[in-house]
Amino acid sequence: MSRKRVAILISGRGSNMAALISAARAPDFPAEIVLVVSNNPEAPGLAHARDAGIATAIIDHRPFGKDREAFERNLQGVLEANRVELVCLAGFMRMLTPWFVHRWLGRLLNIHPSLLPEFKGVDTHARALAAGAKTHGATVHFVVPEMDSGPVIAQARVPVHRGDTPDTLAARVLEAEHHIYPIALRYVAEGRAQMIDGRCMIDGKEHIEPVLLIPPP
Ligand code: GAR
């Protein structure tokens, strides 16, 4: 089995990164994590990646100012130098330009802490609570230029409990994130999930019911 070479892009804690690293240790996992890149030199996730024996790179976005493409050209160079085939965003808090996204279309995944298309953007847990949502969740999707809008590969729905705070809800969602991101990466790395004409096809069929309930009913 030839395993796809994957880079994970982080900005912070890196718990989704850790979940992917751990899943990729399984001998039958169809992808290997070859590189972790952070735009934030202080990202706590970097130490975890290094401890796991994975190459890391820091590309601080700040010297590039408003020139997002210049930052991304550097990033692209590092990805090419490491012969990366798939890129997973895992708490990577930088908007990517169409220049970069088009280079990786169908090979660039993101995880977002909501049931997209609900609650795009930030503060998803507080907004779900304020909206009185009964359930909330997480989505892994292919990245397209428009933020948090690409075709869905996997979703997990979790209940909202009475008395939840943004933090308690975030913790429940995060656990679901750690569950679905490795599943989604496995599907993409195996070529079973593909982005075709802006849709996610799984085993050649349009992905109609992507929601996985956690915990199961
Ligand atoms: C995760 O909840 C992820 O879904 C979210 O940031 C957190 C990162 O945590 N991503 C976004 O909000 C992207 N729009 P982690 O660093 O522990 O994986």
Side-chain angles (χ1 to χ4, degrees), residues 55-128:
T56 59
I58 296 167
I59 308 176
D60 190 340
H61 62 277
R62 288 169 298 189
F64 298 100
K66 290 199 167 68
D67 192 348
R68 287 181 184 271
E69 267 191 38
F71 164 77
E72 291 171 359
R73 279 194 295 276
N74 269 263
L75 173 59
Q76 180 71 16
V78 171
L79 297 175
E80 284 174 10
N82 285 275
R83 293 178 287 112
V84 168
E85 298 171 283
L86 295 172
V87 175
C88 290
L89 308 180
F92 183 69
M93 304 312 265
R94 298 286 301 163
M95 284 289 294
L96 294 166
T97 71
W99 180 86
F100 185 84
V101 172
H102 281 299
R103 262 156 195 76
W104 289 93
L105 215 54
R107 301 183 298 144
L108 177 59
L109 282 60
N110 181 43
I111 186 148
H112 182 76
S114 79
L115 291 168
L116 291 173
E118 289 171 22
F119 308 117
K120 297 178 182 181
V122 296
D123 297 330
T124 58
H125 310 301
R127 285 158 58 212

Side-chain angles (χ1 to χ4, degrees), residues 144-160:
V144 297
E146 196 187 336
M147 189 186 71
D148 299 334
S149 297
V152 170
I153 304 163
Q155 285 186 312
R157 186 183 294 274
V158 302
V160 176

